[in-house]
Amino acid sequence: KKSMYLKKLFYTCVILSCLSSCGNETNKSLTKPATAGTLYYGGKILTMEGDAPNYVEAVIVKDGKILFAGTKAEADKLKEPEMATYNLEGNTMLPGFVDGHSHFSEIGLQASVADLLPSPDGTVGNLAELKKKLKDYADTSQLARKHQIIIGMNYDDGQLAEKRHPTRHDLDSISKDTPVMIIHQSGHLCVLNSIALKNLNIGIGATNPPGGVIQMEADKKTPNGVLEELAFFNILPILYPKFDEPETNDLFKLSTEKYIANGFTTIQDGRTSPTNLKSLLRFDSAGFLKVDVVSYPDLILFDSLPLGLDLTKLVSRTYASKHRFRAGGVKLTLDGSPQGRTAWFSKPYLPLKENKNTYKYNGYPAFKEDSILKRHLKTVFANKWQLLVHCNGDSAVAQLLPFLKPYTKNIDHRTTIIHGQFITKAQVEESSTQNVLISAFPLHSFNWGDFHIESLGLERAKNLSPTGWLVDKKMKFSIHSDAPVIFPASMPLLSTAILRKTRKGIVLGDSHRLKPYVALQAMTIWPAYQHFEENTKGSIAVGKLADFVILDRNPIEEPLDSIKVIRVLRTIKEGVAIYDKPNKKSK
C-alpha cells in the first residue's frame, strides 16, 4: 500500500508540474462545466509524439487536459472513482486535427448558396447543369430573395464540358434584373451578369485595377463578366450580401459543423476581412465557438479599410481567458491560382486548345512594385506579427524570399508560405535556411492534376506541392484543404497527400508521396507548431489539451487506397464531445 501511495503521489506531482508549465500558454476554460474526468481505453491510441508511430493503452482526461497517457494498468490505478470510462471498442483515437490553412468564415456561405462543384464533390459538368443549379437556387433561396443577389460557388471551367468560363451572357439567362455572381473554385475569379456589372460601373472601356484583370469580349473593350484577382476582390465588399447578426451566427455555426464532423479541433480563418473579423469577435464573445479559430486578417484590406479595428491590439499568440478565437497574425497575397491560370510563373503557361494566344502568358503578381511589398513586410515585422504569404507560382516565391532575409535572423517568426504549389527545389532549400514554413496543398494532385499537366506540362505538374523535398530537408510543414476551395474533408486530404493520384489515375510525383504517419504529422503536431501551439496541441501528451478525434480505422494500418473512406466517429474538444457520427451510439 505504501508503494502504491508513493507511486500515485509521484504521478500527481508530475501532472501538476506539467499543468503548471502549460497553464499560461492556454489560459482558457471549458465551454461546458468541468466533469469528474474520463478514462479512454480499448482501442488504438496514436499519440503523434515522436518521429515514428507511438501508441498508449489508455488516456485520462480531467478539466479539459490530459492527466495521463500510458498503460491501462497504470491508468486503472490513477482513475478516481467518479471518473467516467470510454471504451474505444477497437477504434482509433488521435489528437484532434489542426487546420493548416482554410477560410472558416466562408464555409457556411458555401453551404448556403448554389453548389456548382464538379464531380465527385458535386454534379455540375457542363453549362446547362450550371444554369439549372443557379435557376433552382434562385427560385427557392430565401437568402437570394432577401438580399437580392443570386450567388453560386465553386464552378471550375477546367471541369466543364465546354472548357471555358461562363460569361455575363450565360448568367443573364438566369436573371436580367437581379445581380448574379458565381465564384470560381479557386476563389480567385468570379463571373457577373450584366446588371451586376452595370451596378458596379464596370462597362465598356473599363481598365484593369493593379493586380487584377477584367476579361473582355472579342472587341477587347466590352467586359465579358469574368473578373480576376483584385478586380474580383475589390468588388466583394460592395456586392456581398450585408448579413445581419443572426444570419452571420447561423453561417458560422454551419461552418463549425462542417469542420468538427471531420475531426478538426483548431481551424484557421486565412485572409479574414474586416467585416468577418468583427463578426468572429462577436461570435466568440457570445460563447458560440465549439473549437479554436485562429484568424489571419488580410493586411491589404486593413490597410485600406480599417473600420475601427486595431490589429496591434488584436494579434496575439494566446487565447484570452474563456475565449476560443484569436488573431494569430496577418496575411499577404502575392499571386493567384494555377487552376485559374493567374498564378505567377517564371516560365509561361502552355496554350489551352480554346486560347492559343496565351503561350507567352506567365500569370501576374499582386504587387508589381517591390516597394509596396517591402513596406508591408516592414509593418509586419515591426509589430512582431506572424505572417502568412499566399504564393503559388515560383515567381511569387522568388519575389518574397529575398525581402524576408533582413527580418528572419535569430527570431522565431514562423512565416508560412501558403500553398507554395510550384515552389522550386532551390527555393525549398532557401526557405529552410530562413526557417520559413510551408503549408502545402497536395489535394490539387487529384482535383487539378490532369489540368496542370495540360496547362503547365508534366515536369512542372509532377512537382506541385513538393512535399518530398520538404521531408528531405526535415522541415515541419502542414497540408490543408483551403476550404471552401475543397470541402474540409480530413480523410480525402490525408489520402491525396499519400497517393497523389489525378482524376485519370496518374501518380503525380511519386517521390512526393507521403507515408501515412508523416501525413498525419502534417495534420496534427506540425500545424500546431505553425500556429505557435505545439506545447498545448497536436499530440496526446500529459498537460496538453484533451482535443481528440476518434476514427473507425487506423490510417497507419489501413490499405492506402482505403484511407479516404475512413470515418470520423467522434470529435472531442478539451474533454467534451462536440460531434458524434449520426446513427452511431454514444458510449
Side-chain angles (χ1 to χ4, degrees):
K1 288 183 179 179
K2 184 177 180 180
S3 173
M4 184 180 296
Y5 170 78
L6 290 174
K7 184 176 290 187
K8 192 167 186 177
L9 180 63
F10 169 75
Y11 276 111
T12 302
C13 291
V14 170
I15 290 166
L16 289 175
S17 174
C18 290
L19 291 180
S20 174
S21 67
C22 291
N24 291 334
E25 187 119 10
T26 55
N27 194 28
K28 296 197 299 175
S29 65
L30 286 168
T31 55
K32 295 185 179 180
T35 65
T38 304
L39 186 158
Y40 295 87
Y41 72 100
K44 295 277 189 178
I45 302 177
L46 182 59
T47 68
M48 299 309 299
E49 284 278 292
D51 292 329
N54 177 58
Y55 296 91
V56 294
E57 294 177 337
V59 170
I60 296 178
V61 169
K62 189 172 183 181
D63 293 336
K65 294 182 179 178
I66 299 168
L67 295 184
F68 172 82
T71 66
K72 177 65 163 54
E74 289 296 333
D76 288 337
K77 294 175 184 177
L78 293 171
K79 179 183 175 297
E80 298 171 2
E82 63 272 22
M83 282 184 173
T85 57
Y86 187 105
N87 186 345
L88 293 168
E89 296 182 352
N91 295 313
T92 297
M93 188 165 84
L94 303 162
F97 296 129
V98 179
D99 178 26
H101 174 69
S102 71
H103 305 270
F104 168 81
S105 58
E106 297 178 22
I107 306 305
L109 180 65
Q110 178 194 40
S112 304
V113 300
D115 176 8
L116 307 181
L117 278 165
S119 176
D121 302 307
T123 59
V124 173
N126 56 54
L127 286 174
E129 291 170 348
L130 181 146
K131 291 176 184 179
K132 185 177 187 307
K133 280 271 189 177
L134 285 171
K135 187 63 176 173
D136 290 345
Y137 172 78
D139 290 343
T140 60
S141 170
Q142 292 182 358
L143 184 150
R145 283 194 294 272
K146 177 178 179 179
H147 294 281
Q148 285 299 292
I149 184 170
I150 300 163
I151 301 175
M153 289 182 68
N154 288 28
Y155 85 90
D156 182 4
D157 58 303
Q159 299 302 320
L160 292 175
E162 294 82 358
K163 297 295 181 183
R164 68 167 177 86
H165 292 282
T167 68
R168 65 185 179 92
H169 302 292
D170 295 307
L171 300 190
D172 286 346
S173 69
I174 308 302
S175 178
K176 292 184 178 180
D177 303 316
T178 301
V180 180
M181 175 176 67
I182 63 172
I183 300 173
H184 191 263
Q185 194 173 0
S186 67
H188 285 253
L189 304 93
C190 78
V191 188
L192 304 178
N193 68 344
S194 296
I195 189 65
L197 290 169
K198 180 180 179 181
N199 290 349
L200 293 164
N201 294 315
I202 301 174
I204 293 175
T207 58
N208 293 331
V213 170
I214 300 170
Q215 289 191 15
M216 298 295 177
E217 295 182 352
D219 64 5
K220 298 185 180 179
K221 62 181 181 180
T222 304
N224 70 2
V226 180
L227 306 182
E228 300 178 6
E229 301 301 333
L230 284 175
F232 162 47
F233 298 135
N234 289 345
I235 60 95
L236 272 179
I238 304 169
L239 206 56
Y240 219 57
K242 304 300 186 288
F243 296 118
D244 58 30
E245 185 173 335
E247 286 175 318
T248 303
N249 289 344
D250 287 344
L251 291 174
F252 287 166
K253 288 175 183 178
L254 190 54
S255 292
T256 303
E257 296 307 313
K258 296 291 183 181
Y259 282 95
I260 65 177
N262 282 280
F264 287 96
T265 51
T266 299
I267 308 168
Q268 186 184 112
D269 191 52
R271 203 176 189 182
T272 311
S273 70
T275 300
N276 280 339
L277 181 55
K278 281 187 172 182
S279 297
L280 284 165
L281 288 166
R282 186 179 63 238
F283 189 73
D284 176 47
S285 294
F288 291 140
L289 276 176
K290 295 182 179 181
V291 292
D292 295 334
V293 174
V294 188
S295 162
Y296 290 85
D298 185 333
L299 185 58
I300 304 304
L301 289 180
F302 279 83
D303 198 34
S304 57
L305 300 168
L307 296 181
L309 295 168
D310 186 350
L311 291 181
T312 61
K313 295 179 180 178
L314 287 173
V315 174
S316 173
R317 291 183 183 173
T318 59
Y319 300 87
S321 178
K322 299 183 182 179
H323 288 269
R324 294 201 179 281
F325 175 84
R326 68 181 175 92
V330 294
K331 186 180 179 186
L332 287 171
T333 298
L334 299 195
D335 73 341
S337 154
Q339 69 268 39
R341 287 171 70 92
T342 58
W344 186 24
F345 287 97
S346 60
K347 296 179 181 179
Y349 289 86
L350 299 180
L352 296 177
K353 293 177 181 179
E354 77 285 2
N355 202 358
K356 297 282 187 182
N357 63 347
T358 61
Y359 72 97
K360 292 183 180 179
Y361 169 71
N362 293 57
Y364 49 90
F367 303 122
K368 289 184 178 179
E369 297 180 15
D370 290 342
S371 59
I372 300 175
L373 174 58
K374 291 171 72 173
R375 175 169 62 83
H376 288 308
L377 291 178
K378 185 176 180 180
T379 299
V380 169
F381 286 97
N383 285 289
K384 298 181 180 179
W385 294 333
Q386 187 188 13
L387 175 64
L388 305 188
V389 192
H390 169 113
C391 298
N392 265 317
D394 61 322
S395 288
V397 181
Q399 184 184 38
L400 171 70
L401 291 178
F403 295 133
L404 286 179
K405 284 184 179 179
Y407 302 108
T408 56
K409 293 179 180 178
N410 304 317
I411 62 168
D412 188 10
H413 58 97
R414 303 191 195 180
T415 298
T416 304
I417 292 175
I418 299 298
H419 309 318
Q421 289 197 78
F422 292 95
I423 189 171
T424 67
K425 195 170 187 178
Q427 289 170 340
V428 167
E429 170 73 30
E430 187 175 355
S431 298
S432 69
T433 61
Q434 294 191 57
N435 295 316
V436 172
L437 306 177
I438 296 168
S439 185
F441 199 0
L443 267 167
H444 256 251
S445 58
F446 174 78
N447 287 81
W448 293 284
D450 297 312
F451 178 79
H452 292 329
I453 292 173
E454 181 183 4
S455 180
L456 299 168
L458 180 59
E459 284 306 305
R460 270 193 287 181
K462 73 181 183 182
N463 287 319
L464 75 86
S465 294
T467 47
W469 295 343
L470 306 181
V471 172
D472 291 343
K473 298 302 299 181
K474 302 187 185 305
M475 295 174 68
K476 295 180 177 72
F477 62 92
S478 65
I479 57 176
H480 63 259
S481 67
D482 199 26
V485 172
I486 306 292
F487 285 122
S490 52
M491 292 301 102
L493 172 59
L494 182 70
S495 175
T496 51
I498 294 165
L499 297 176
R500 290 182 66 96
K501 287 184 178 180
T502 72
R503 292 172 185 267
K504 294 179 180 179
I506 300 169
V507 175
L508 205 57
D510 185 68
S511 63
H512 298 304
R513 298 174 74 181
L514 295 178
K515 294 180 179 179
Y517 185 74
V518 176
L520 285 171
Q521 286 179 298
M523 294 176 64
T524 53
I525 188 63
W526 289 345
Y529 176 86
Q530 175 187 310
H531 290 102
F532 287 92
E533 297 189 83
E534 73 275 14
N535 291 330
T536 55
K537 298 176 181 176
S539 67
I540 297 176
V542 171
K544 288 194 173 186
L545 297 179
D547 292 356
F548 308 131
V549 56
I550 298 174
L551 307 176
D552 69 343
R553 281 167 282 176
N554 184 357
I556 303 297
E557 299 175 347
E558 195 69 10
L560 299 185
D561 285 333
S562 300
I563 289 174
K564 64 183 177 183
V565 296
I566 292 175
R567 297 180 301 163
V568 173
L569 302 180
R570 174 172 277 203
T571 303
I572 299 162
K573 176 63 181 157
E574 295 178 33
V576 176
I578 56 174
Y579 168 80
D580 272 304
K581 183 173 176 59
N583 302 320
K584 180 72 179 180
K585 292 181 180 180
S586 300
K587 303 168 191 173

